[in-house]
Structures are given as structure tokens and as C-alpha cells.
PDB file of all heavy atoms in Angstrom:
ATOM      1  N   SER J 223      33.686 -20.414  88.176  1.00 98.00           N
ATOM      2  CA  SER J 223      33.408 -19.608  89.367  1.00 98.00           C
ATOM      3  C   SER J 223      32.295 -20.187  90.262  1.00 98.00           C
ATOM      4  O   SER J 223      32.223 -19.884  91.455  1.00 98.00           O
ATOM      5  CB  SER J 223      33.039 -18.188  88.987  1.00 98.00           C
ATOM      6  OG  SER J 223      31.776 -18.173  88.314  1.00 98.00           O
ATOM      7  N   GLY J 224      31.405 -20.946  89.645  1.00 97.00           N
ATOM      8  CA  GLY J 224      30.219 -21.399  90.360  1.00 97.00           C
ATOM      9  C   GLY J 224      29.052 -20.482  90.215  1.00 97.00           C
ATOM     10  O   GLY J 224      27.958 -20.794  90.723  1.00 97.00           O
ATOM     11  N   ALA J 225      29.207 -19.357  89.535  1.00 96.00           N
ATOM     12  CA  ALA J 225      28.092 -18.439  89.322  1.00 96.00           C
ATOM     13  C   ALA J 225      27.229 -18.950  88.173  1.00 96.00           C
ATOM     14  O   ALA J 225      27.709 -19.632  87.283  1.00 96.00           O
ATOM     15  CB  ALA J 225      28.608 -17.046  89.006  1.00 96.00           C
ATOM     16  N   ALA J 226      25.973 -18.568  88.210  1.00 95.00           N
ATOM     17  CA  ALA J 226      25.067 -18.941  87.136  1.00 95.00           C
ATOM     18  C   ALA J 226      25.388 -18.122  85.860  1.00 95.00           C
ATOM     19  O   ALA J 226      25.796 -16.958  85.942  1.00 95.00           O
ATOM     20  CB  ALA J 226      23.627 -18.664  87.525  1.00 95.00           C
ATOM     21  N   SER J 227      25.192 -18.720  84.691  1.00 95.00           N
ATOM     22  CA  SER J 227      25.421 -17.995  83.431  1.00 95.00           C
ATOM     23  C   SER J 227      24.230 -17.126  83.099  1.00 95.00           C
ATOM     24  O   SER J 227      23.075 -17.448  83.499  1.00 95.00           O
ATOM     25  CB  SER J 227      25.705 -18.982  82.294  1.00 95.00           C
ATOM     26  OG  SER J 227      26.904 -19.721  82.544  1.00 95.00           O
ATOM     27  N   LEU J 228      24.473 -16.082  82.326  1.00 95.00           N
ATOM     28  CA  LEU J 228      23.357 -15.260  81.847  1.00 95.00           C
ATOM     29  C   LEU J 228      22.535 -16.010  80.838  1.00 95.00           C
ATOM     30  O   LEU J 228      23.106 -16.676  79.946  1.00 95.00           O
ATOM     31  CB  LEU J 228      23.883 -13.984  81.229  1.00 95.00           C
ATOM     32  CG  LEU J 228      24.315 -12.836  82.128  1.00 95.00           C
ATOM     33  CD1 LEU J 228      24.782 -11.656  81.294  1.00 95.00           C
ATOM     34  CD2 LEU J 228      23.157 -12.385  83.030  1.00 95.00           C
ATOM     35  N   ASP J 229      21.244 -15.880  80.918  1.00 94.00           N
ATOM     36  CA  ASP J 229      20.334 -16.384  79.884  1.00 94.00           C
ATOM     37  C   ASP J 229      19.753 -15.164  79.177  1.00 94.00           C
ATOM     38  O   ASP J 229      18.820 -14.535  79.673  1.00 94.00           O
ATOM     39  CB  ASP J 229      19.218 -17.248  80.509  1.00 94.00           C
ATOM     40  CG  ASP J 229      18.250 -17.760  79.460  1.00 94.00           C
ATOM     41  OD1 ASP J 229      18.356 -17.422  78.277  1.00 94.00           O
ATOM     42  OD2 ASP J 229      17.353 -18.523  79.867  1.00 94.00           O
ATOM     43  N   PHE J 230      20.329 -14.835  78.018  1.00 94.00           N
ATOM     44  CA  PHE J 230      19.953 -13.588  77.363  1.00 94.00           C
ATOM     45  C   PHE J 230      18.480 -13.606  76.929  1.00 94.00           C
ATOM     46  O   PHE J 230      17.827 -12.527  76.780  1.00 94.00           O
ATOM     47  CB  PHE J 230      20.865 -13.326  76.186  1.00 94.00           C
ATOM     48  CG  PHE J 230      22.226 -12.833  76.555  1.00 94.00           C
ATOM     49  CD1 PHE J 230      23.262 -13.694  76.750  1.00 94.00           C
ATOM     50  CD2 PHE J 230      22.425 -11.489  76.827  1.00 94.00           C
ATOM     51  CE1 PHE J 230      24.515 -13.267  77.139  1.00 94.00           C
ATOM     52  CE2 PHE J 230      23.678 -11.023  77.196  1.00 94.00           C
ATOM     53  CZ  PHE J 230      24.708 -11.931  77.366  1.00 94.00           C
ATOM     54  N   LEU J 231      17.909 -14.769  76.685  1.00 95.00           N
ATOM     55  CA  LEU J 231      16.544 -14.841  76.223  1.00 95.00           C
ATOM     56  C   LEU J 231      15.524 -14.586  77.327  1.00 95.00           C
ATOM     57  O   LEU J 231      14.352 -14.343  77.048  1.00 95.00           O
ATOM     58  CB  LEU J 231      16.277 -16.180  75.541  1.00 95.00           C
ATOM     59  CG  LEU J 231      17.123 -16.478  74.318  1.00 95.00           C
ATOM     60  CD1 LEU J 231      16.750 -17.824  73.702  1.00 95.00           C
ATOM     61  CD2 LEU J 231      16.950 -15.368  73.241  1.00 95.00           C
ATOM     62  N   SER J 232      15.949 -14.693  78.571  1.00 93.00           N
ATOM     63  CA  SER J 232      15.047 -14.461  79.674  1.00 93.00           C
ATOM     64  C   SER J 232      15.330 -13.177  80.449  1.00 93.00           C
ATOM     65  O   SER J 232      14.659 -12.863  81.412  1.00 93.00           O
ATOM     66  CB  SER J 232      15.090 -15.650  80.667  1.00 93.00           C
ATOM     67  OG  SER J 232      16.364 -15.750  81.235  1.00 93.00           O
ATOM     68  N   LEU J 233      16.319 -12.426  79.972  1.00 92.00           N
ATOM     69  CA  LEU J 233      16.677 -11.177  80.684  1.00 92.00           C
ATOM     70  C   LEU J 233      15.590 -10.149  80.519  1.00 92.00           C
ATOM     71  O   LEU J 233      14.962 -10.007  79.477  1.00 92.00           O
ATOM     72  CB  LEU J 233      17.970 -10.572  80.083  1.00 92.00           C
ATOM     73  CG  LEU J 233      19.309 -11.162  80.510  1.00 92.00           C
ATOM     74  CD1 LEU J 233      20.428 -10.374  79.853  1.00 92.00           C
ATOM     75  CD2 LEU J 233      19.468 -11.101  82.043  1.00 92.00           C
ATOM     76  N   ALA J 234      15.374  -9.396  81.627  1.00 90.00           N
ATOM     77  CA  ALA J 234      14.520  -8.223  81.557  1.00 90.00           C
ATOM     78  C   ALA J 234      15.243  -7.146  80.792  1.00 90.00           C
ATOM     79  O   ALA J 234      16.485  -7.182  80.608  1.00 90.00           O
ATOM     80  CB  ALA J 234      14.192  -7.722  82.951  1.00 90.00           C
ATOM     81  N   PRO J 235      14.524  -6.159  80.225  1.00 95.00           N
ATOM     82  CA  PRO J 235      15.206  -5.050  79.527  1.00 95.00           C
ATOM     83  C   PRO J 235      16.265  -4.380  80.422  1.00 95.00           C
ATOM     84  O   PRO J 235      16.061  -4.238  81.638  1.00 95.00           O
ATOM     85  CB  PRO J 235      14.059  -4.062  79.208  1.00 95.00           C
ATOM     86  CG  PRO J 235      12.834  -4.936  79.159  1.00 95.00           C
ATOM     87  CD  PRO J 235      13.054  -5.977  80.216  1.00 95.00           C
ATOM     88  N   LEU J 236      17.378  -4.002  79.850  1.00 97.00           N
ATOM     89  CA  LEU J 236      18.450  -3.337  80.574  1.00 97.00           C
ATOM     90  C   LEU J 236      18.202  -1.828  80.472  1.00 97.00           C
ATOM     91  O   LEU J 236      18.112  -1.268  79.384  1.00 97.00           O
ATOM     92  CB  LEU J 236      19.799  -3.708  79.986  1.00 97.00           C
ATOM     93  CG  LEU J 236      20.127  -5.210  79.962  1.00 97.00           C
ATOM     94  CD1 LEU J 236      21.541  -5.414  79.416  1.00 97.00           C
ATOM     95  CD2 LEU J 236      19.947  -5.845  81.310  1.00 97.00           C
ATOM     96  N   THR J 237      18.114  -1.179  81.642  1.00 97.00           N
ATOM     97  CA  THR J 237      17.776   0.226  81.632  1.00 97.00           C
ATOM     98  C   THR J 237      18.864   1.020  82.395  1.00 97.00           C
ATOM     99  O   THR J 237      19.629   0.483  83.167  1.00 97.00           O
ATOM    100  CB  THR J 237      16.438   0.505  82.336  1.00 97.00           C
ATOM    101  OG1 THR J 237      16.528  -0.001  83.692  1.00 97.00           O
ATOM    102  CG2 THR J 237      15.305  -0.242  81.613  1.00 97.00           C
ATOM    103  N   PHE J 238      18.906   2.328  82.106  1.00 98.00           N
ATOM    104  CA  PHE J 238      19.900   3.222  82.679  1.00 98.00           C
ATOM    105  C   PHE J 238      19.248   4.542  83.036  1.00 98.00           C
ATOM    106  O   PHE J 238      18.327   4.999  82.330  1.00 98.00           O
ATOM    107  CB  PHE J 238      21.050   3.439  81.675  1.00 98.00           C
ATOM    108  CG  PHE J 238      21.648   2.139  81.204  1.00 98.00           C
ATOM    109  CD1 PHE J 238      21.174   1.515  80.060  1.00 98.00           C
ATOM    110  CD2 PHE J 238      22.679   1.567  81.888  1.00 98.00           C
ATOM    111  CE1 PHE J 238      21.698   0.359  79.584  1.00 98.00           C
ATOM    112  CE2 PHE J 238      23.242   0.367  81.449  1.00 98.00           C
ATOM    113  CZ  PHE J 238      22.718  -0.239  80.324  1.00 98.00           C
ATOM    114  N   GLU J 239      19.717   5.157  84.073  1.00 97.00           N
ATOM    115  CA  GLU J 239      19.184   6.435  84.526  1.00 97.00           C
ATOM    116  C   GLU J 239      20.223   7.180  85.356  1.00 97.00           C
ATOM    117  O   GLU J 239      21.125   6.557  85.896  1.00 97.00           O
ATOM    118  CB  GLU J 239      17.864   6.251  85.308  1.00 97.00           C
ATOM    119  CG  GLU J 239      18.063   5.365  86.525  1.00 97.00           C
ATOM    120  CD  GLU J 239      16.721   4.849  87.092  1.00 97.00           C
ATOM    121  OE1 GLU J 239      16.018   4.051  86.410  1.00 97.00           O
ATOM    122  OE2 GLU J 239      16.403   5.242  88.225  1.00 97.00           O
ATOM    123  N   PRO J 240      20.057   8.512  85.474  1.00 97.00           N
ATOM    124  CA  PRO J 240      21.011   9.251  86.305  1.00 97.00           C
ATOM    125  C   PRO J 240      20.716   9.008  87.788  1.00 97.00           C
ATOM    126  O   PRO J 240      19.616   8.636  88.176  1.00 97.00           O
ATOM    127  CB  PRO J 240      20.733  10.706  85.921  1.00 97.00           C
ATOM    128  CG  PRO J 240      19.317  10.719  85.462  1.00 97.00           C
ATOM    129  CD  PRO J 240      19.078   9.369  84.813  1.00 97.00           C
ATOM    130  N   ALA J 241      21.742   9.260  88.600  1.00 96.00           N
ATOM    131  CA  ALA J 241      21.559   9.181  90.082  1.00 96.00           C
ATOM    132  C   ALA J 241      20.934  10.488  90.547  1.00 96.00           C
ATOM    133  O   ALA J 241      21.482  11.568  90.296  1.00 96.00           O
ATOM    134  CB  ALA J 241      22.887   8.959  90.740  1.00 96.00           C
ATOM    135  N   ASP J 242      19.793  10.399  91.230  1.00 95.00           N
ATOM    136  CA  ASP J 242      19.104  11.564  91.739  1.00 95.00           C
ATOM    137  C   ASP J 242      19.865  12.177  92.885  1.00 95.00           C
ATOM    138  O   ASP J 242      20.052  11.519  93.927  1.00 95.00           O
ATOM    139  CB  ASP J 242      17.724  11.123  92.201  1.00 95.00           C
ATOM    140  CG  ASP J 242      16.856  12.303  92.722  1.00 95.00           C
ATOM    141  OD1 ASP J 242      17.369  13.411  92.798  1.00 95.00           O
ATOM    142  OD2 ASP J 242      15.649  12.062  92.996  1.00 95.00           O
ATOM    143  N   PRO J 243      20.348  13.423  92.762  1.00 95.00           N
ATOM    144  CA  PRO J 243      21.113  14.024  93.848  1.00 95.00           C
ATOM    145  C   PRO J 243      20.290  14.244  95.138  1.00 95.00           C
ATOM    146  O   PRO J 243      20.889  14.395  96.208  1.00 95.00           O
ATOM    147  CB  PRO J 243      21.591  15.336  93.248  1.00 95.00           C
ATOM    148  CG  PRO J 243      20.675  15.644  92.120  1.00 95.00           C
ATOM    149  CD  PRO J 243      20.213  14.322  91.607  1.00 95.00           C
ATOM    150  N   LEU J 244      18.965  14.244  95.045  1.00 94.00           N
ATOM    151  CA  LEU J 244      18.147  14.404  96.268  1.00 94.00           C
ATOM    152  C   LEU J 244      18.107  13.109  97.070  1.00 94.00           C
ATOM    153  O   LEU J 244      18.135  13.102  98.275  1.00 94.00           O
ATOM    154  CB  LEU J 244      16.734  14.827  95.899  1.00 94.00           C
ATOM    155  CG  LEU J 244      16.585  16.234  95.311  1.00 94.00           C
ATOM    156  CD1 LEU J 244      15.111  16.531  94.956  1.00 94.00           C
ATOM    157  CD2 LEU J 244      17.069  17.273  96.296  1.00 94.00           C
ATOM    158  N   ARG J 245      18.073  11.964  96.341  1.00 95.00           N
ATOM    159  CA  ARG J 245      18.110  10.685  97.007  1.00 95.00           C
ATOM    160  C   ARG J 245      19.532  10.298  97.432  1.00 95.00           C
ATOM    161  O   ARG J 245      19.707   9.624  98.474  1.00 95.00           O
ATOM    162  CB  ARG J 245      17.563   9.578  96.072  1.00 95.00           C
ATOM    163  CG  ARG J 245      16.095   9.564  95.888  1.00 95.00           C
ATOM    164  CD  ARG J 245      15.640   8.287  95.194  1.00 95.00           C
ATOM    165  NE  ARG J 245      14.215   8.333  94.901  1.00 95.00           N
ATOM    166  CZ  ARG J 245      13.677   8.805  93.812  1.00 95.00           C
ATOM    167  NH1 ARG J 245      14.499   9.333  92.860  1.00 95.00           N
ATOM    168  NH2 ARG J 245      12.397   8.811  93.615  1.00 95.00           N
ATOM    169  N   PHE J 246      20.499  10.680  96.625  1.00 97.00           N
ATOM    170  CA  PHE J 246      21.873  10.221  96.868  1.00 97.00           C
ATOM    171  C   PHE J 246      22.858  11.416  96.909  1.00 97.00           C
ATOM    172  O   PHE J 246      23.745  11.519  96.056  1.00 97.00           O
ATOM    173  CB  PHE J 246      22.265   9.274  95.741  1.00 97.00           C
ATOM    174  CG  PHE J 246      21.316   8.124  95.521  1.00 97.00           C
ATOM    175  CD1 PHE J 246      20.599   8.021  94.324  1.00 97.00           C
ATOM    176  CD2 PHE J 246      21.135   7.164  96.518  1.00 97.00           C
ATOM    177  CE1 PHE J 246      19.742   6.970  94.113  1.00 97.00           C
ATOM    178  CE2 PHE J 246      20.246   6.112  96.302  1.00 97.00           C
ATOM    179  CZ  PHE J 246      19.553   5.997  95.128  1.00 97.00           C
ATOM    180  N   PRO J 247      22.670  12.306  97.867  1.00 97.00           N
ATOM    181  CA  PRO J 247      23.536  13.505  97.924  1.00 97.00           C
ATOM    182  C   PRO J 247      25.001  13.164  98.216  1.00 97.00           C
ATOM    183  O   PRO J 247      25.901  13.951  97.861  1.00 97.00           O
ATOM    184  CB  PRO J 247      22.936  14.345  99.041  1.00 97.00           C
ATOM    185  CG  PRO J 247      22.261  13.319  99.925  1.00 97.00           C
ATOM    186  CD  PRO J 247      21.693  12.297  98.985  1.00 97.00           C
ATOM    187  N   GLY J 248      25.254  12.018  98.819  1.00 97.00           N
ATOM    188  CA  GLY J 248      26.641  11.682  99.153  1.00 97.00           C
ATOM    189  C   GLY J 248      27.515  11.325  97.994  1.00 97.00           C
ATOM    190  O   GLY J 248      28.751  11.398  98.112  1.00 97.00           O
ATOM    191  N   LEU J 249      26.930  11.005  96.847  1.00 97.00           N
ATOM    192  CA  LEU J 249      27.746  10.592  95.700  1.00 97.00           C
ATOM    193  C   LEU J 249      28.678  11.719  95.260  1.00 97.00           C
ATOM    194  O   LEU J 249      29.866  11.478  94.936  1.00 97.00           O
ATOM    195  CB  LEU J 249      26.824  10.208  94.558  1.00 97.00           C
ATOM    196  CG  LEU J 249      27.477   9.715  93.284  1.00 97.00           C
ATOM    197  CD1 LEU J 249      28.348   8.496  93.530  1.00 97.00           C
ATOM    198  CD2 LEU J 249      26.433   9.395  92.219  1.00 97.00           C
ATOM    199  N   GLN J 250      28.166  12.955  95.275  1.00 97.00           N
ATOM    200  CA  GLN J 250      29.014  14.072  94.781  1.00 97.00           C
ATOM    201  C   GLN J 250      30.243  14.293  95.640  1.00 97.00           C
ATOM    202  O   GLN J 250      31.243  14.869  95.191  1.00 97.00           O
ATOM    203  CB  GLN J 250      28.134  15.361  94.772  1.00 97.00           C
ATOM    204  CG  GLN J 250      28.872  16.629  94.288  1.00 97.00           C
ATOM    205  CD  GLN J 250      29.431  16.472  92.879  1.00 97.00           C
ATOM    206  OE1 GLN J 250      28.801  15.875  91.994  1.00 97.00           O
ATOM    207  NE2 GLN J 250      30.617  17.025  92.634  1.00 97.00           N
ATOM    208  N   LEU J 251      30.215  13.839  96.895  1.00 97.00           N
ATOM    209  CA  LEU J 251      31.366  14.037  97.788  1.00 97.00           C
ATOM    210  C   LEU J 251      32.627  13.363  97.226  1.00 97.00           C
ATOM    211  O   LEU J 251      33.761  13.812  97.550  1.00 97.00           O
ATOM    212  CB  LEU J 251      31.058  13.492  99.188  1.00 97.00           C
ATOM    213  CG  LEU J 251      30.026  14.285  99.989  1.00 97.00           C
ATOM    214  CD1 LEU J 251      29.741  13.570 101.315  1.00 97.00           C
ATOM    215  CD2 LEU J 251      30.521  15.694 100.272  1.00 97.00           C
ATOM    216  N   ALA J 252      32.472  12.336  96.401  1.00 97.00           N
ATOM    217  CA  ALA J 252      33.645  11.699  95.829  1.00 97.00           C
ATOM    218  C   ALA J 252      34.449  12.685  95.002  1.00 97.00           C
ATOM    219  O   ALA J 252      35.683  12.830  95.211  1.00 97.00           O
ATOM    220  CB  ALA J 252      33.204  10.536  94.927  1.00 97.00           C
ATOM    221  N   TRP J 253      33.838  13.395  94.077  1.00 97.00           N
ATOM    222  CA  TRP J 253      34.548  14.350  93.218  1.00 97.00           C
ATOM    223  C   TRP J 253      35.033  15.537  94.020  1.00 97.00           C
ATOM    224  O   TRP J 253      36.112  16.041  93.802  1.00 97.00           O
ATOM    225  CB  TRP J 253      33.660  14.763  92.058  1.00 97.00           C
ATOM    226  CG  TRP J 253      33.424  13.596  91.089  1.00 97.00           C
ATOM    227  CD1 TRP J 253      34.242  13.197  90.043  1.00 97.00           C
ATOM    228  CD2 TRP J 253      32.289  12.728  91.067  1.00 97.00           C
ATOM    229  NE1 TRP J 253      33.698  12.121  89.424  1.00 97.00           N
ATOM    230  CE2 TRP J 253      32.505  11.809  89.986  1.00 97.00           C
ATOM    231  CE3 TRP J 253      31.151  12.624  91.822  1.00 97.00           C
ATOM    232  CZ2 TRP J 253      31.608  10.824  89.678  1.00 97.00           C
ATOM    233  CZ3 TRP J 253      30.219  11.597  91.511  1.00 97.00           C
ATOM    234  CH2 TRP J 253      30.469  10.729  90.457  1.00 97.00           C
ATOM    235  N   ASP J 254      34.184  15.985  94.970  1.00 96.00           N
ATOM    236  CA  ASP J 254      34.595  17.110  95.802  1.00 96.00           C
ATOM    237  C   ASP J 254      35.871  16.790  96.570  1.00 96.00           C
ATOM    238  O   ASP J 254      36.799  17.629  96.615  1.00 96.00           O
ATOM    239  CB  ASP J 254      33.499  17.448  96.824  1.00 96.00           C
ATOM    240  CG  ASP J 254      32.204  17.954  96.159  1.00 96.00           C
ATOM    241  OD1 ASP J 254      32.273  18.341  94.966  1.00 96.00           O
ATOM    242  OD2 ASP J 254      31.161  17.983  96.832  1.00 96.00           O
ATOM    243  N   CYS J 255      35.957  15.586  97.120  1.00 96.00           N
ATOM    244  CA  CYS J 255      37.133  15.242  97.914  1.00 96.00           C
ATOM    245  C   CYS J 255      38.374  14.978  97.053  1.00 96.00           C
ATOM    246  O   CYS J 255      39.492  15.279  97.431  1.00 96.00           O
ATOM    247  CB  CYS J 255      36.870  14.025  98.805  1.00 96.00           C
ATOM    248  SG  CYS J 255      35.767  14.379 100.187  1.00 96.00           S
ATOM    249  N   LEU J 256      38.180  14.418  95.850  1.00 96.00           N
ATOM    250  CA  LEU J 256      39.297  14.188  94.966  1.00 96.00           C
ATOM    251  C   LEU J 256      39.897  15.492  94.463  1.00 96.00           C
ATOM    252  O   LEU J 256      41.087  15.586  94.177  1.00 96.00           O
ATOM    253  CB  LEU J 256      38.847  13.341  93.746  1.00 96.00           C
ATOM    254  CG  LEU J 256      38.691  11.851  94.024  1.00 96.00           C
ATOM    255  CD1 LEU J 256      38.014  11.145  92.873  1.00 96.00           C
ATOM    256  CD2 LEU J 256      40.046  11.200  94.327  1.00 96.00           C
ATOM    257  N   ARG J 257      39.052  16.533  94.379  1.00 94.00           N
ATOM    258  CA  ARG J 257      39.583  17.872  93.982  1.00 94.00           C
ATOM    259  C   ARG J 257      40.180  18.636  95.148  1.00 94.00           C
ATOM    260  O   ARG J 257      40.871  19.616  94.925  1.00 94.00           O
ATOM    261  CB  ARG J 257      38.418  18.685  93.382  1.00 94.00           C
ATOM    262  CG  ARG J 257      37.848  18.126  92.080  1.00 94.00           C
ATOM    263  CD  ARG J 257      36.870  19.071  91.446  1.00 94.00           C
ATOM    264  NE  ARG J 257      36.051  18.448  90.420  1.00 94.00           N
ATOM    265  CZ  ARG J 257      34.809  18.044  90.623  1.00 94.00           C
ATOM    266  NH1 ARG J 257      34.191  18.273  91.776  1.00 94.00           N
ATOM    267  NH2 ARG J 257      34.105  17.474  89.641  1.00 94.00           N
ATOM    268  N   ALA J 258      39.912  18.204  96.356  1.00 92.00           N
ATOM    269  CA  ALA J 258      40.396  18.879  97.550  1.00 92.00           C
ATOM    270  C   ALA J 258      41.818  18.437  97.874  1.00 92.00           C
ATOM    271  O   ALA J 258      42.488  17.724  97.101  1.00 92.00           O
ATOM    272  CB  ALA J 258      39.460  18.667  98.697  1.00 92.00           C
ATOM    273  N   ALA J 259      42.291  18.850  99.047  1.00 90.00           N
ATOM    274  CA  ALA J 259      43.647  18.525  99.476  1.00 90.00           C
ATOM    275  C   ALA J 259      43.809  17.019  99.692  1.00 90.00           C
ATOM    276  O   ALA J 259      42.850  16.342 100.032  1.00 90.00           O
ATOM    277  CB  ALA J 259      43.983  19.265 100.743  1.00 90.00           C
ATOM    278  N   THR J 260      45.037  16.533  99.521  1.00 89.00           N
ATOM    279  CA  THR J 260      45.342  15.138  99.831  1.00 89.00           C
ATOM    280  C   THR J 260      44.944  14.840 101.282  1.00 89.00           C
ATOM    281  O   THR J 260      45.291  15.599 102.188  1.00 89.00           O
ATOM    282  CB  THR J 260      46.818  14.854  99.636  1.00 89.00           C
ATOM    283  OG1 THR J 260      47.192  15.126  98.275  1.00 89.00           O
ATOM    284  CG2 THR J 260      47.166  13.396  99.973  1.00 89.00           C
ATOM    285  N   GLY J 261      44.223  13.781 101.483  1.00 92.00           N
ATOM    286  CA  GLY J 261      43.729  13.424 102.806  1.00 92.00           C
ATOM    287  C   GLY J 261      42.251  13.644 102.943  1.00 92.00           C
ATOM    288  O   GLY J 261      41.627  13.133 103.904  1.00 92.00           O
ATOM    289  N   ALA J 262      41.629  14.423 102.031  1.00 94.00           N
ATOM    290  CA  ALA J 262      40.200  14.656 102.130  1.00 94.00           C
ATOM    291  C   ALA J 262      39.384  13.379 101.960  1.00 94.00           C
ATOM    292  O   ALA J 262      38.380  13.164 102.634  1.00 94.00           O
ATOM    293  CB  ALA J 262      39.784  15.697 101.091  1.00 94.00           C
TER     294      ALA J 262
END
């Protein structure tokens, strides 16, 4: 591909966290629209 390979010995720790609904209120619209009528 031409992409660089991962160097696992130099990687920073891998972390995970929830998406803050105050910072990212638009994310919830995905599920709202999928539950709504076709075309939403």
C-alpha cells in the first residue's frame, strides 16, 4: 500500500472512552434517523 507499518514497541498506550454527548450531540442523530421513517 505504501503505508508505514506499525512499530508496536514505540506505540503510545491505546485508550478508549465514550463520546461525550455535550461535545458531540450530532452522533445520536444516526440512531434516531435509522429508527424513523425511510428517508430520514
Side-chain angles (χ1 to χ4, degrees):
S223 68
S227 297
L228 280 181
D229 180 354
F230 284 94
L231 297 182
S232 64
L233 280 182
L236 303 183
T237 61
F238 306 90
E239 58 196 65
D242 182 354
L244 293 178
R245 286 192 184 89
F246 307 115
L249 181 59
Q250 180 59 38
L251 290 175
W253 291 277
D254 294 344
C255 288
L256 283 170
R257 296 187 195 102
T260 301

